[in-house]
């Protein structure tokens, strides 16, 4: 009864949304569906039930969290397995209230392209939960494109073959041997792992790299110190759009090939920004392992929740923004210059941070928003 009222007053049902929800429903076997729920209410319930389902809380073989680091410190995926922290299931009334509050944002965002960069550093904390949030967005009728890193996983595999990771200004120094490991880990284990997790959530994803379909055109950066690091010179947006047309969620590993066919390692933040610009994305979200831009990287309470272009440039100049945060801020600025209204840097370790950022309405909003001047 409650779900019917919410759907009837707040948003119009859509057949395509209903179709999109069906696989999730089947995969999750939600008992609260009686087959008569209006589509939008069912969609929202499917989404929220997905979040609150026992499967989310079930013990999964995830990695133990790696603590946040400063500046250029190097992060490794832990070899030991831990337990995903179980979130309490909210009472039905609170869930319904949450759904009602989210409906205007859902109506606004339905059908819109959301480019999400899921950071390597954030990926050590409950990666399945975030991947399932992206699946939820797709089930709710948004068009997410997930661009991923895999830094800690790469570092762990480099350690296994005895190569020491090195970074300069937040970018990985990539010699020929490092490039081999980056290619195998990112385009193989990490990319297909994400696709498989989305499949398990009932949403079909397609794993791509910058090499596939010539998705990312790149050239080697003009910096000998960095090695096989690529700079994006073009994006074949049509490759992603055709996947989206087919109802598939594109999952992109940011390895590209140069004109001679050599692999190049492209920083995932910069690749995601180039993709967001090429697709004229409605939303651009960078997920990392800190609450956002911090005035003092050691103090999680020193969050800068909003900053304009000039302010962000000054934060880099003053050295407040350092290490891996530099490419993030730089790429937000470049996206804004190309017309994106606002970009977000959020904490991917925070449960359902992505849904919170996209569907919440101002008060208590987390993360940093970088806006136009
Ligand atoms: P990702 O894998 O998500 O790209 P990175 O390690 O490359 O993560 O970049 C995020 C890191 O940037 C943070 O963990 C933090 O150590 C570092 N950093 C440097 N300066 C800042 C700052 N002012 N605010 C927040 N993080 C910062
Ligand atoms: Mg990074």
């Amino acid at each position: 009864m409650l779900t019917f009222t919410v759907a009837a007053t707040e948003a119009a049902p859509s057949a395509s949304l209903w179709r999109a929800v069906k696989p999730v429903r089947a995969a999750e076997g939600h008992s609260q569906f009686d087959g008569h729920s209006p589509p939008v209410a069912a969609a929202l319930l499917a989404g929220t039930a997905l979040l609150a389902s026992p499967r989310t809380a079930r013990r999964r073989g995830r990695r133990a969290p790696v603590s946040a680091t400063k500046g250029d410190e190097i992060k490794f995926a832990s070899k030991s397995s831990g337990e995903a922290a179980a979130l309490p299931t909210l009472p039905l009334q609170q869930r319904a209230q949450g759904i009602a509050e989210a409906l205007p944002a859902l109506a606004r965002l339905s059908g819109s392209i959301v480019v999400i960069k899921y950071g390597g550093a954030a990926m050590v904390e409950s990666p399945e939960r975030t991947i399932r949030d992206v699946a939820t967005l797709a089930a709710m009728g948004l068009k997410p494109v997930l661009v991923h890193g895999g830094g800690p996983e790469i570092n762990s595999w480099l350690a296994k073959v005895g190569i020491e990771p090195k970074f300069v200004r937040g970018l990985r120094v990539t010699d020929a041997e490092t490039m081999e490991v980056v290619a195998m880990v990112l385009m193989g284990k990490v990319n297909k792992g994400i696709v498989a997790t989305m499949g398990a959530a009932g949403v079909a994803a397609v794993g791509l790299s910058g090499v596939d379909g010539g998705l990312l055109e790149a050239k080697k950066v003009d910096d000998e110190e960095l090695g096989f690091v690529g700079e994006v010179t073009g994006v074949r947006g049509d490759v992603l759009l055709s996947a989206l047309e087919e109802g598939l969620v594109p999952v992109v590993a940011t390895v590209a090939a140069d004109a001679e066919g050599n692999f190049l390692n492209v920083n995932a933040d910069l690749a995601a920004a180039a993709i967001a610009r090429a697709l004229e994305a409605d939303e651009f979200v960078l997920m990392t392992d800190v609450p956002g831009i911090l005035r003092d990287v050691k103090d999680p309470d020193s969050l800068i929740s909003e900053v304009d272009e000039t302010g962000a440039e000054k934060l880099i100049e003053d050295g407040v923004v350092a290490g891996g945060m530099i490419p993030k801020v730089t790429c937000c600025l470049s996206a804004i210059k190309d017309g994106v209204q606002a970009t977000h840097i959020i904490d991917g370790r925070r449960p359902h941070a992505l849904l919170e950022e996209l569907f919440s309405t101002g008060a208590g909003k987390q993360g940093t928003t970088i806006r136009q001047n």
Side-chain angles (χ1 to χ4, degrees), residues 69-71 75 117 119-122 269 287-290 292-294 297 320-325 328:
T69 56
K70 300 179 254 51
K75 298 156 189 186
K117 188 270 177 158
D269 299 327
M287 305 182 82
T288 185
D289 67 341
V290 281
I293 301 178
L294 302 170
V297 77
V320 171
V321 162
M325 195 49 76
K328 284 183 212 311

